[in-house]
Every structure is written in structure tokens, then in C-alpha cells.
């Protein structure tokens, strides 16, 4: 039996087994009390920061729930989505719809067949008329703006930005790549040429993205020099509720480069891990000064490149868009999240440990359940093997036409079910709120 996704609050709960007679009346009830303890707060370390980002927990927290139930891995080139638990979020209907993610990079091939369905355009701008129709200060900026060359040409002549875009919002179809937020829109803001760019271009790109409707900004770029212009632009983005996600850098350093290092105040810094969640050797580490640093897949990532192509790339540049995609999923579930709240949720829900095993005890008929991850909500027959459920008579006038063996149900539910011939169900109730929140028939109980 898996309790993941039931969104039980921390505290005391009861598991009820209800037996019915052939007429459908309650004949007997067994109660098992247990308590849920809150998950341990993620601890920070100087290597991996708060650890691997967890979309299922982060998006669930964004809507006031604990986490979402695990789903089957997609496998293949989608291992990165699996590792960050994006399919668990998709299964709940959150796909990034309505969210705009600005890609501040080398441009984006917005004609790519696996991207063009998810490209943001400036609907208030008429292309090719030489006028700034929407009065935002940029002429003919239908497909974003090119701050590097100071024109409206935002196609990608390098490949880097198109690869990043595919990880964020590659179209979910039967080919290529599926983005982490596959219904989000990509805004191409070109701030890099093929040989890099300036901090003034980056700062201008941030402000453009914020002022033109981006909800999330991905910056798979950086240097080892601080920039007061970028710092001020990051503060501006945060003040407008826009979340900036920044690659930590690939210099094997003990702390992130800039602007990712500014994640001590604004935005999120992202380091890279491989498919086994091992830190990539090239990835800059989190550093001893705690900042909003998490890790994401960044080794041999499959995504789009210009000309309807695909390739594998590695770098914290590939890790950041996984996190930008997760943030887009969070915002598609709850548009009111602030930068600081997103930082809080992302870091608190990230995790690098093993899934916690159950801790049970039979004192006072309670069991302690450690809820760090969705798996931790699983209750199996062994969980209650040492406990003796107590019999509760709901209605004293009921005649127990059939009975079941006291103490046997949780020790061996399969035998218990086989030993009885009438319809049964398990009801899970909160002690604070006796409303039944789950009915399980025999089939479910056996899972
Ligand atoms: Ca314009
Ligand atoms: Ca125009
Ligand atoms: Ca695709």
C-alpha cells in the first residue's frame, strides 16, 4: 500500500480496517494509529549544496502538499527528467503551461521542429515594419532581442542556447527531446555571441526578460568576475517575482562563478551531476558560504541543436535548464510564488540521501514514519508486523457475522484477506479530521 500523494499532514493518523457483513453493514473495525514526522530539512554542504533538485516534492510544496507519488521512469534519453522526478509532476497535470522562460544565451533556433510549438513571441509587436509598435524600446522584437549585436536577430548560430531551450521546453511528441516543462514558452534573449558576451548585455537581457513577460530566466553563462550591472539586474528580477536560474560554472572550483555566486541573495545556482547523481568532475562546487545551490543532470544531456538536429552536451549549462524547467512547473502550479519562496522550496525539497526507511514502534499503538521522500510514505505489511491493532466497536448493536483474527491483519494482510469471505475496505483517517480520505478495496490492499 502506498500512501504517497495523499498529502497527509505531519501528526497523528489512524488506519482503519473495516469489515462488513453480507448486508453491507459494518461488522468490525481495527484501528492502527501512526504518526508522520516532517521530513528532515535538507542540510547544506560545500560540495553539492542542498543536493539534487526534486520536482515532485518542489511542485507539491508549491501547492501545499508533501510530494507526488512516484511514477514509472521514462528511461532512455529522458533519464534526466526521471532523475529530477518531472514525470511525477506531469502526471498531476502540471506541465509549465502559461509560463515563459527566457533563455539568455547564444540565441535559440525557434524554427526547430521540436521547439517551434513552444516559442514565445511578442504579440504586441509587428515584425518587419521598422517600428517599435509596443513602445518597449526595441524595434521589431517579435522573437526577443539580441543584446550582443543590438538587433532583433535571436536565432542561434552556435548551438548552446538551442540545446538549453530543448531541455526546458522541448515539445512532448513522439520524437527528439521532451522538456522538463514541455508546455512552457521559450523567450530567446541573445546575450552571447559565439565567443561570449559582456556583462552589460547580460544585465540588459535580464531586464528585457523581466519587462516583457518572462517568469523564469535561465542563464547558462558566467565568468569569474563580479558585475554590479548584473547584480542590480538580478535584484530587479527578484523584485518583480522573476526567478533567475544560473549555471555554477565548469571550472572545477570550490565555489560558483558569477553570476551564480549571487544566489546567496537572489536566484538559484545549479551544479551538475551525472545519471547516477554523482557530482560532475568539472562542476563548480557550492562553497562553504551557504547559497541557494542545487544540482541537476549535466553530463551527456540529449537535446536540440540548430537545423532540426540533436546532440549530447555536458556542463552546468545543461544542469541549469533542468532547474529552470522545474521552477516553471512550480509556477504553473502556483503563479504567486516569489523568488524567495521558490528558493526556499527548491532548497528544502532537494535531497541527496537514500530514501528513508520506515521507523516503526509499537508503543502506544503508534508507528513513526519518516517522510523525506515520496517512497517514505509507503506502508507495507512489515511496517506493522510488530504491532497489535486494537478492536474498536463502532456500533455495539452490530452483530459480527464474520470475524477476523485480531492482530493478524497488519502482520499478514494477504492471509487476513484470504481468511475472510466478505467485502472489506481500509479507510485512512486523520485523527484531527475524521473524514475518510482513502478507501482501498481488496485489490489495492494487495499491492
Ligand atoms: Ca518593441
Ligand atoms: Ca515592429
Ligand atoms: Ca520532442
Amino acid at each position: 500500500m502506498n500512501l504517497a500523494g495523499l498529502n497527509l499532514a505531519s501528526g497523528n493518523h489512524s488506519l482503519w480496517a473495516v469489515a462488513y457483513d453480507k448486508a453491507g453493514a459494518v461488522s468490525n473495525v481495527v484501528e492502527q494509529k501512526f504518526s508522520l514526522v516532517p521530513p528532515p530539512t535538507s542540510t547544506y554542504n560545500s560540495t553539492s549544496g542542498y543536493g539534487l533538485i526534486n520536482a515532485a516534492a518542489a511542485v507539491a510544496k508549491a501547492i501545499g502538499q508533501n510530494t507526488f507519488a512516484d511514477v514509472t521512469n521514462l528511461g532512455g534519453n529522458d533519464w534526466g527528467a526521471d532523475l529530477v522526478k518531472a514525470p511525477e509532476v506531469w502526471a498531476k497535470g502540471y506541465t509549465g503551461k502559461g509560463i515563459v522562460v527566457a533563455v539568455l544565451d547564444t540565441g535559440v533556433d525557434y524554427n526547430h521542429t521540436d521547439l517551434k510549438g513552444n516559442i514565445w513571441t511578442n504579440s504586441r509587436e509587428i515584425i518587419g515594419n521598422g517600428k517599435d509598435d509596443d513602445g518597449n524600446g526595441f524595434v521589431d522584437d517579435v522573437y526577443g532581442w539580441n543584446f550582443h549585436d543590438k538587433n532583433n536577430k535571436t536565432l542561434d548560430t552556435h548551438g548552446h542556447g538551442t540545446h538549453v531551450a530543448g531541455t526546458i521546453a522541448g515539445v512532448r511528441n513522439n520524437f527528439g527531446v521532451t522538456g522538463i516543462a514541455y508546455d512552457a514558452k521559450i523567450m530567446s534573449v541573445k546575450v552571447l555571441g559565439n565567443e561570449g558576451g559582456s556583462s552589460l548585455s547580460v544585465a540588459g537581457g535580464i531586464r528585457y526578460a523581466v519587462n516583457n513577460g518572462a517568469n523564469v530566466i535561465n542563464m547558462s553563462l558566467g565568468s569569474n568576475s563580479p558585475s554590479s550591472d548584473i547584480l542590480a539586474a538580478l535584484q530587479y528580477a527578484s523584485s518583480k517575482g522573476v526567478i533567475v536560474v544560473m549555471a555554477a560554472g565548469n571550472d572545477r572550483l570550490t565555489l560558483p562563478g558569477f553570476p551564480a555566486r549571487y544566489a546567496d541573495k537572489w536566484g538559484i545556482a545549479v551544479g551538475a551531476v551525472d545519471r547516477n547523481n554523482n557530482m560532475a568532475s568539472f562542476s563548480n562546487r557550492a562553497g562553504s558560504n551557504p547559497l541557494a545551490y542545487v544540482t541537476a543532470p549535466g553530463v551527456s544531456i540529449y537535446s536540440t541543436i540548430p537545423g532540426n538536429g540533436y546532440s549530447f552536451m555536458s556542463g552546468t549549462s545543461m544542469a541549469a535548464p533542468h532547474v529552470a524547467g522545474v521552477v516553471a512547473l512550480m509556477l504553473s502550479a502556483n503563479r504567486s510564488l516569489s523568488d524567495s519562496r521558490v528558493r526556499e522550496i527548491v532548497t528544502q525539497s532537494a535531497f541527496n540521501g537514500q530514501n528513508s526507511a520506515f521507523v516503526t514502534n509499537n508503543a502506544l499503538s503508534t508507528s513513526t514514519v519518516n517522510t523525506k521522500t515520496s517512497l517514505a510514505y509507503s506502508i507495507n505489511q512489515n511496517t506493522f508486523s510488530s504491532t497489535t491493532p486494537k478492536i474498536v466497536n463502532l456500533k455495539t448493536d452490530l452483530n459480527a457475522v464474520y470475524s477476523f483474527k485480531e492482530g493478524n491483519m497488519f502482520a499478514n494482510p494477504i492471509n487476513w484477506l484470504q481468511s475472510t469471505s466478505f467485502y472489506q475496505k481500509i479507510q485512512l483517517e486523520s485523527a484531527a479530521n475524521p473524514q475518510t480520505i482513502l478507501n482501498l478495496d481488496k485489490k489495492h490492499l494487495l499491492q
Side-chain angles (χ1 to χ4, degrees):
M1 194 172 89
N2 192 334
L3 303 186
L6 291 177
N7 310 310
L8 296 178
S10 298
N12 297 323
H13 300 274
S14 290
L15 191 66
W16 304 81
V18 184
Y20 293 84
D21 62 24
K22 286 180 174 176
V26 174
S27 62
N28 219 335
V29 176
V30 169
E31 178 190 32
Q32 174 60 60
K33 292 180 178 176
F34 65 99
S35 63
L36 293 175
V37 298
T41 302
S42 293
T43 54
Y44 181 89
N45 73 60
S46 61
T47 299
S48 57
Y50 291 94
L52 181 66
I53 191 163
N54 181 336
V59 177
K61 276 179 182 283
I63 54 172
Q65 301 181 11
N66 285 314
T67 191
F68 297 145
D70 280 343
V71 302
T72 307
N73 279 347
L74 303 171
N77 289 330
D78 289 318
W79 64 265
D82 292 334
L83 193 61
V84 304
K85 293 183 176 290
E88 281 77 357
V89 178
W90 305 340
K92 293 293 183 179
Y94 304 113
T95 59
K97 197 171 187 63
I99 302 302
V100 177
V101 183
V103 173
L104 270 61
D105 214 288
T106 59
V108 173
D109 179 9
Y110 46 77
N111 297 314
H112 197 294
T113 53
D114 220 1
L115 290 173
K116 66 181 180 183
N118 283 342
I119 298 297
W120 171 90
T121 58
N122 183 355
S123 60
R124 297 167 300 175
E125 185 71 33
I126 299 166
I127 197 159
N129 66 355
K131 294 177 181 173
D132 179 16
D133 301 285
D134 63 347
N136 67 351
F138 302 93
V139 174
D140 291 347
D141 59 323
V142 170
Y143 291 98
W145 191 253
N146 180 338
F147 284 86
H148 185 262
D149 302 305
K150 298 180 176 59
N151 60 39
N152 70 341
K153 296 178 169 55
T154 61
L155 281 170
D156 182 14
T157 56
H158 181 280
H160 189 269
T162 300
H163 199 277
V164 165
T167 298
I168 296 169
V171 175
R172 190 184 199 187
N173 44 29
N174 57 359
F175 61 88
V177 63
T178 300
I180 299 297
Y182 58 78
D183 279 332
K185 297 295 188 192
I186 295 292
M187 176 193 289
S188 178
V189 182
K190 185 163 177 168
V191 298
L192 303 174
N194 291 351
E195 307 299 327
S198 71
S199 53
L200 273 180
S201 294
V202 173
I206 293 170
R207 291 177 184 275
Y208 177 90
V210 171
N211 293 339
N212 289 279
N215 308 103
V216 186
I217 296 174
N218 186 88
M219 294 206 291
S220 291
L221 53 82
S223 77
N224 292 323
S225 303
S227 162
S228 57
D229 296 308
I230 293 178
L231 182 61
L234 289 177
Q235 186 171 13
Y236 177 68
S238 178
S239 74
K240 298 294 185 181
V242 177
I243 292 87
V244 182
V245 179
M246 302 168 283
N250 307 325
D251 300 316
R252 302 168 185 262
L253 299 176
T254 56
L255 74 176
F258 292 98
R261 205 180 300 176
Y262 296 134
D264 62 339
K265 295 185 179 68
W266 300 291
I268 300 168
V270 186
V273 295
D274 65 16
R275 66 172 63 216
N276 297 316
N277 195 26
N278 292 316
M279 202 76 188
S281 59
F282 56 76
S283 179
N284 288 350
R285 272 44 180 172
S288 55
N289 175 38
L291 71 174
Y293 181 110
V294 293
T295 59
V299 177
S300 297
I301 303 301
Y302 185 78
S303 187
T304 44
I305 57 171
N308 291 331
Y310 298 88
S311 73
F312 293 92
M313 292 189 187
S314 297
T316 55
S317 285
M318 285 65 241
H322 283 85
V323 173
V326 172
V327 174
L329 294 174
M330 293 170 69
L331 293 175
S332 70
N334 181 354
R335 288 291 286 273
S336 68
L337 298 174
S338 65
D339 176 40
S340 62
R341 182 62 181 144
V342 168
R343 286 155 47 87
E344 184 176 52
I345 291 173
V346 163
T347 53
Q348 286 180 354
S349 58
F351 192 55
N352 263 353
Q354 297 296 312
N355 290 325
S356 304
F358 275 103
V359 180
T360 66
N361 75 68
N362 58 1
L364 303 175
S365 183
T366 61
S367 303
T368 303
V369 182
N370 192 323
T371 64
K372 178 58 200 176
T373 72
S374 61
L375 284 179
Y377 271 120
S378 299
I379 289 182
N380 59 42
Q381 59 195 71
N382 296 325
T383 305
F384 294 101
S385 61
S386 63
T387 66
T388 302
K390 70 174 184 179
I391 298 292
V392 177
N393 292 315
L394 283 185
K395 295 182 179 178
T396 54
D397 59 343
L398 278 175
N399 291 318
V401 179
Y402 300 93
S403 63
F404 50 86
K405 296 176 183 175
E406 181 181 358
N408 200 34
M409 185 187 87
F410 294 106
N412 196 335
I414 295 174
N415 284 349
W416 176 70
L417 284 165
Q418 289 173 342
S419 69
T420 55
S421 58
F422 47 88
Y423 176 73
Q424 305 121 10
K425 66 179 178 179
I426 302 293
Q427 296 176 317
L428 184 64
E429 298 187 347
S430 163
N433 177 5
Q435 181 181 1
T436 298
I437 56 175
L438 175 70
N439 285 316
L440 293 175
D441 60 19
K442 180 175 178 179
K443 175 172 172 289
H444 285 109
L445 185 63
L446 291 173
Q447 285 179 339

